[in-house]
Amino acid sequence: MIIDGDPTFIPNKDEHFMGVAQAVAEGSNHPVVPGGCVIVRGREILGDGRSVLAHCKVEVDCITYAIAASSKRGTSLAGAEVYATRYPFSQSIFQLHMMGINRLVVLAHEWEPYYKDEFRRAARLARELSVSIEPYFEDNDQRFGTGNTPEEFDSRDLYTSNPVEADDFVV
């Protein structure tokens, strides 16, 4: 229900919270692929996290960090939504399922080739656990483009390829 003059009204919730996740990603210390994440219920941010690469070379995913931060405060995450700038790892998908989160919005961008197999595992697990992974495109509508792509992105395959599409991973 929208109340006229409501100062907390957010016209485009996905755009707003993805922008917050991108701002959180700027605090990431990951040298290759910094990531940011916010966990939201309604219009309230329940937790946020960033990708961390520890000195011992252990990587903490931004989603895992956000779940840990909100759980530390004792906040229930059931029914919340997650906005992340990186594709999740399979451990993060399982954690989302255990916390009662069924919707994950991921910023659509070129996937990191190093994590290709891990992303496929995560996509398969998400399907099995009924966790929806939805891409968020920064352009309003992907069907209507100018056709002018920057030189660094010669191939449109970077925008259309997704680790979820190919399901040739064998356990």
Side-chain angles (χ1 to χ4, degrees):
M1 179 163 124
I2 299 173
I3 301 171
D4 194 30
D6 182 5
T8 63
F9 174 70
I10 301 170
N12 188 338
K13 192 170 130 179
D14 288 349
E15 179 182 346
H16 175 76
F17 288 117
M18 189 55 74
V20 174
Q22 289 173 321
V24 170
E26 292 181 17
S28 174
N29 75 343
H30 199 290
V32 180
V33 280
C37 170
V38 291
I39 302 175
V40 177
R41 185 181 310 117
R43 295 177 279 194
E44 179 184 5
I45 296 176
L46 305 175
D48 61 83
R50 61 190 194 281
S51 296
V52 176
L53 185 63
H55 291 291
C56 60
K57 304 298 179 204
V58 172
E59 184 174 355
V60 178
D61 187 32
C62 56
I63 297 172
T64 300
Y65 191 112
I67 290 171
S70 58
S71 296
K72 183 178 179 181
R73 295 183 213 121
T75 306
S76 171
L77 300 179
E81 299 173 341
V82 175
Y83 295 88
T85 61
R86 286 186 64 191
Y87 203 84
F89 295 150
S90 55
Q91 298 91 334
S92 299
I93 294 293
F94 185 72
Q95 291 169 351
L96 292 175
H97 171 71
M98 293 302 293
M99 292 295 183
I101 299 172
N102 295 323
R103 182 175 186 243
L104 169 63
V105 180
V106 179
L107 183 64
H109 58 84
E110 179 182 357
W111 304 107
E112 299 90 26
Y114 180 77
Y115 298 111
K116 186 177 180 181
D117 290 336
E118 177 58 31
F119 292 160
R120 287 182 179 153
R121 280 191 287 270
R124 177 174 283 173
L125 184 62
R127 281 193 308 267
E128 291 175 7
L129 298 177
S130 299
V131 175
S132 170
I133 301 176
E134 302 172 11
Y136 174 79
F137 295 96
E138 291 186 291
D139 296 339
N140 289 336
D141 194 341
Q142 294 298 303
R143 295 175 296 171
F144 305 106
T146 60
N148 299 329
T149 57
E151 292 176 17
E152 58 190 323
F153 298 117
D154 317 289
S155 171
R156 289 297 289 176
D157 188 45
L158 295 175
Y159 296 104
T160 58
S161 65
N162 187 331
V164 180
E165 293 172 358
D167 196 18
D168 57 352
F169 179 77
V170 178
V171 180

